[in-house]
Amino acid sequence: MAELNNRLRNEYMTRINRVIDFIERNIDSELSLELLAEVASFSKYHFHRIFCGLMNETLNDFIKRVRLQTSVKKLFYNSEQSITEVALNCGFSSSANFARAFKDYYGISPSAARECGSIE
């Protein structure tokens, strides 16, 4: 029984890792539950439960976190890009949504982070 559980967990992790890779490669795209469930070959309801259970965060929280972490790299290493361009290239619908999410997550505005070169 334990071997069966291990094989099932390994299979689930393989599918979730496939989704994580897909998210990272397509961070600037719309990433719907339906699309990502299809990538994992699960129903959307089963996928969401499995994702939360294995990743300890919701799919939306994970996507937002990856987008924000990607944006930090772009803010610091692509200084020729405007903050709006960074926001849109990281999958945010507007610079206002990006600025709000960035400040909520890091406690500093994107422009202030770029100016001081740090998020600390």
Side-chain angles (χ1 to χ4, degrees):
M1 185 66 141
E3 184 179 330
L4 178 62
N5 285 339
N6 283 340
R7 275 192 277 161
L8 188 59
R9 182 175 173 76
N10 288 340
E11 174 63 24
Y12 282 7
M13 280 306 302
T14 298
R15 293 182 189 198
I16 295 301
N17 284 332
R18 189 168 52 223
V19 170
I20 291 168
D21 290 343
F22 184 87
I23 290 169
E24 289 173 345
R25 284 191 319 273
N26 297 283
I27 200 66
D28 60 338
S29 303
E30 183 177 332
L31 299 168
S32 68
L33 174 62
E34 291 80 10
L35 173 64
L36 297 175
E38 187 177 311
V39 170
S41 300
F42 285 127
S43 75
K44 63 183 181 180
Y45 305 107
H46 191 62
F47 169 66
H48 196 263
R49 277 194 311 274
I50 296 300
F51 190 92
C52 288
L54 292 175
M55 299 301 294
N56 294 319
E57 64 184 326
T58 68
L59 178 62
N60 285 337
D61 287 345
F62 178 82
I63 292 169
K64 186 160 95 174
R65 182 172 56 79
V66 171
R67 284 181 169 156
L68 288 167
Q69 291 170 341
T70 302
S71 74
V72 167
K73 294 174 197 165
K74 290 180 182 266
L75 281 173
F76 296 150
Y77 300 113
N78 294 341
S79 59
E80 69 281 352
Q81 276 191 334
S82 71
I83 291 174
T84 299
E85 288 173 316
V86 169
L88 298 176
N89 289 338
C90 290
F92 289 92
S93 60
S94 70
S95 59
N97 287 342
F98 169 63
R100 189 171 25 261
F102 194 96
K103 182 147 183 148
D104 288 347
Y105 193 79
Y106 292 111
I108 188 172
S109 72
S111 57
R114 180 177 261 177
E115 282 176 24
C116 70
S118 174
I119 54 175
E120 297 177 26

